[in-house]
Every structure is written in C-alpha cells, then in structure tokens.
Amino acid sequence: MSAEMHIETLAIHAGHTPDPATGAVMSPIHLSTTFERAADGSYPSGYVYTRTANPNRHELEATLAALEGGAAAAAFASGLAATGAIFQALAPGDHVLFPDDVYFGAGRLLRELMAPWGLRYSIVNMADLDAVRAAVRPQTRLVWVETPSNPLLKITDIAAVAEIAHAAGARCAVDNTWPSPIGQQPLALGADLVMHATTKYLGGHSDVLGGAVIVREADEFFERIRLIQTIGGAVPSPFDCWLLLRSLRTLPYRMRGHSANAQHVAEFLAEHPAVAAVHYPGLPTHPGHAVARRQMKLYGGMLSIQVRGGVEEAMAVAARVRLFTRATSLGGVESLIEHRASVEGAHTTTPANLLRLSIGLEHPDDLIADLAQALAR
Ligand SMILES: *Cc1c(COP(=O)(O)O)cnc(C)c1O
C-alpha cells in the first residue's frame, strides 16, 4: 500500500487482501493456536504459534502502522499493556518525564508497578516547554506525552517536546488515543513512538479492549517491545483483532462526526451560565488552541466542563442527563458523561466540579438538548 494514499483509503485497504485460500473478501478469524510445520521442519506460512504471531494480529498491526505512518506496530491486550511494554523496554534506573495531567491508569502503572521495578520519573507540565527542559536529567530516556490530556485537554507541542527529548538522548512517546491517527499524527511531528488504547476510538463501539504501540523506526527498542509482547504474552485475541480491523475501516468518517459534534456541544457549553469552564482545544479561547490548530487535523470528540456550584452540582447534572449515559471510558458511538475525580479516587488532581464528556455520533442537537435540560436548575 503506497504511503502516498489518503488515510480513508489506507483505513480500508492497508494490511489487507482477499484471503488467498478461499477468496473471502473479508478476512476469516484464525482461531487456531498452532500452525503446521512442513516435512523439512520449516513453517511455509511463517506462522508457528499464535502468541508469537497470528494472521489477524498481523493484519491489524500492518493497518495501524500504515494509519500512523510508522515502520511497525505491536498490538496488545489493552492500552495499559501497550503502555507497560514501552516502560519495560527501558532499563531500571532510567528516568521518565511524565505529564501532570494524563490518563490516570498510566500514572498508577508508573507509580505502583514501574517505580518498584526501578524506573525513575518526574512529573512535569508538558504544556510548558521551559518546565520540560528544566526537568530533563542525564538519565532521561523517555518523555511521555498525552495531548489533548486527560481530563483537562491541555495541549502539548509534540514537535517541540520531541526535539527536547532527542537533544537529551531520550525517546518521545505520545498517547494518541484521544485524537486517533485521523486527528493527529505524532510520528510525522517528530515523536518516536505512538501508543493507543484501541479500546477507545479505534474500536469505536465500546465492545473491545486493546492497545498498540506504533514506531517510527523498527529499531532495537522496538525489538524489545516485540519481545515483551510475545514473551510477556499480553496479546489480543484473534477475534479482538478482527473486530478492531472492522472498526478501523470507518475510523476517518467516525472521527469527523465525533469532532464536528464535539465542536457544536463545546460552543453551546461555552455560552451556558451554569458552566464555569469548557476545556476543548477547538475553542479559540482554549490556551492550547494555536498549537492544536497547527498539529491537529481534527480536535476530537472529548471535552470536559467545570460546573458552577461545585461537586454537588456536578453530580446533580450527571444525574439529570437522559441521552448521555453515566459511564467511564470513551470513543464509542454513544455519548458518555463521567464525574472523573470520583472514578480516579485517591491521588486524583482532577477538579471536583469537572465532568468529562465523550461525544458520540448522535445528532448534536439532541445532545445539546439533553445537556440544556440537565444544566437547567
Ligand atoms: C483508556 C485509556 C488508556 C488505557 O487503555 P485500556 O485499554 O483501558 O488499558 C490509556 N490512555 C488513554 C488516553 C485512555 O483513554
């Protein structure tokens, strides 16, 4: 598949041809755990055992690499398994720069599993380049970026942070779960690794858990990630890979819908007297808007609001919605609302009056009508 092709075309055709054995236009699901060896001891198909490699996983990885413009990809059983593979590919004693506003589970992974294993880390405001520069140490080997961040939608300048990382001899990894490769392409901006919770927009229907790492270069660091995938064993099932591939075919169109809807909803909320703040990078008033406009193609379907009246009123608004579903997670066709601080629990730095919204593919006027009635006192 030519890298020159448009992303809509790549999403449908990359990594995929009709099944040579049957002519099936869509891939069969290869549930077999083991593959036949020829009389001479070789493996004519290239497949040996499904933990090491599986045709559905192979197809998913090829498609993900094409969509992110990467050299290779490794698919995992969850977003956190993919994040953990990047951390584990470092060495004990290495230092990681980590953002202050970030997916909460990634922070727990670093604090509760990787720090005891020997990784050192500093928490830094990734939206402040001087703070990033000042936090670099001689042992810094990885700078972790999540932009827009979770749940405050802070914007990090990927090109600038990648440059700081490279000058320090470190890699720059970007959690690209929220924008998806349709909204933002970190490798083209200079990042070395992209991580996805495929659970979210790439899956798109809230029915599959998965993760992936995509790399600009298939170097020795990626070989370690591949080893962690195949020997660590946190691989996705063939069915999960097949579901993800099915979803990826429509990703460009879903992302346009999510983003257009979120922009409408954000503009409505920005004018609403019961809302103290709207965090959405598509709003010209957002402090990261200029950087976002430069590095994003779409601003995505996620936004958060701070409700006037504190935590009680935030909970009351969440209790009054009818079309939005009160649930964690994001990226599905259905709109979700969540009081984020109570999900994050101890260690949360999320404001108590914050509600996080995953804007789905319903008609935006229906979403706005639901929020209007929920915000009315
Ligand atoms: C959900 C999420 C993750 C973790 O993915 P899991 O599949 O739940 O392990 C990581 N980063 C971001 C931004 C997420 O939204």
Side-chain angles (χ1 to χ4, degrees):
M1 192 83 356
S2 155
E4 311 299 305
M5 275 191 200
H6 296 91
I7 204 153
E8 292 82 356
T9 309
L10 289 174
I12 291 167
H13 292 284
H16 178 73
T17 49
D19 178 39
T22 60
V25 171
M26 284 301 151
S27 301
I29 305 175
H30 294 276
L31 296 174
S32 183
T33 53
T34 188
F35 297 83
E36 192 182 23
R37 203 165 170 166
D40 68 358
S42 68
Y43 288 95
S45 69
Y47 295 104
V48 177
Y49 182 64
T50 199
R51 171 163 38 70
T52 321
N54 168 280
N56 297 105
R57 197 164 85 221
H58 188 243
E59 199 181 317
L60 173 63
E61 289 174 344
T63 307
L64 291 172
L67 291 178
E68 287 286 2
F76 288 86
S78 71
L80 277 181
T83 306
I86 296 174
F87 290 157
Q88 284 179 67
L90 298 165
D94 284 354
H95 176 251
V96 178
L97 282 188
F98 198 69
D100 58 355
D101 191 62
V102 61
Y103 174 65
F104 193 71
R108 285 196 65 186
L109 176 60
L110 196 54
R111 268 195 318 274
E112 297 178 35
L113 294 180
M114 297 318 300
W117 179 79
L119 272 194
R120 315 224 175 113
Y121 64 93
S122 306
I123 308 282
V124 60
N125 177 4
M126 286 288 165
D128 178 349
L129 296 175
D130 289 332
V132 178
R133 266 183 220 104
V136 168
R137 295 185 197 169
Q139 302 80 16
T140 304
R141 291 291 167 270
L142 182 73
V143 181
W144 188 265
V145 171
E146 183 183 303
T147 179
S149 68
N150 181 2
L152 286 171
L153 291 110
K154 285 163 65 169
I155 298 295
T156 294
D157 184 333
I158 295 172
V161 168
E163 207 177 299
I164 296 169
H166 295 161
R171 289 181 168 79
C172 175
V174 178
D175 182 338
N176 206 31
T177 300
W178 281 22
S180 93
I182 311 306
Q184 178 172 278
Q185 304 226 306
L187 300 181
L189 294 164
D192 305 282
L193 303 115
V194 163
M195 172 262 152
H196 276 287
T198 55
T199 313
K200 313 294 171 50
Y201 288 104
L202 304 195
H205 299 75
S206 305
D207 55 9
V208 55
L209 185 78
V213 178
I214 301 113
V215 290
R216 191 146 50 85
E217 272 178 66
D219 57 8
E220 76 289 348
F221 194 75
F222 181 68
E223 277 167 31
R224 276 199 67 73
I225 290 171
R226 183 67 85 194
L227 185 72
I228 293 158
Q229 177 199 36
T230 56
I231 297 301
V235 292
S237 74
F239 183 55
D240 287 352
C241 295
W242 184 91
L243 274 177
L244 279 168
L245 274 162
R246 184 189 162 119
S247 293
L248 285 176
R249 308 303 181 208
T250 55
L251 179 68
Y253 296 91
R254 287 188 287 108
M255 287 316 297
R256 278 180 216 162
H258 285 293
S259 292
N261 282 0
Q263 184 76 36
H264 280 299
V265 171
E267 285 169 10
F268 161 76
L269 291 168
E271 298 296 316
H272 200 287
V275 176
V278 181
H279 306 291
Y280 185 66
L283 293 176
T285 49
H286 187 287
H289 180 68
V291 175
R293 209 168 67 188
R294 203 163 63 226
Q295 73 183 12
M296 301 182 83
K297 296 191 181 83
L298 296 169
Y299 299 113
M302 294 300 296
L303 60 93
S304 60
I305 58 172
Q306 289 179 254
V307 177
R308 285 191 207 286
V311 60
E312 291 79 15
E313 189 51 25
M315 294 303 246
V317 170
R320 286 195 290 260
V321 293
R322 296 180 196 138
L323 182 55
F324 279 77
T325 302
R326 281 177 300 280
T328 194
S329 201
L330 59 113
V333 294
E334 72 294 338
S335 291
L336 303 178
I337 190 166
E338 170 178 51
H339 182 253
R340 191 67 196 159
S342 50
V343 169
E344 294 181 345
H347 280 103
T348 184
T349 51
T350 297
N353 65 342
L354 182 138
L355 294 171
R356 194 184 78 178
L357 279 63
S358 172
I359 303 299
L361 297 179
E362 302 92 340
H363 195 287
D365 292 349
D366 296 334
L367 297 173
I368 288 169
D370 190 35
L371 292 170
Q373 67 79 25
L375 286 163
R377 281 184 243 195

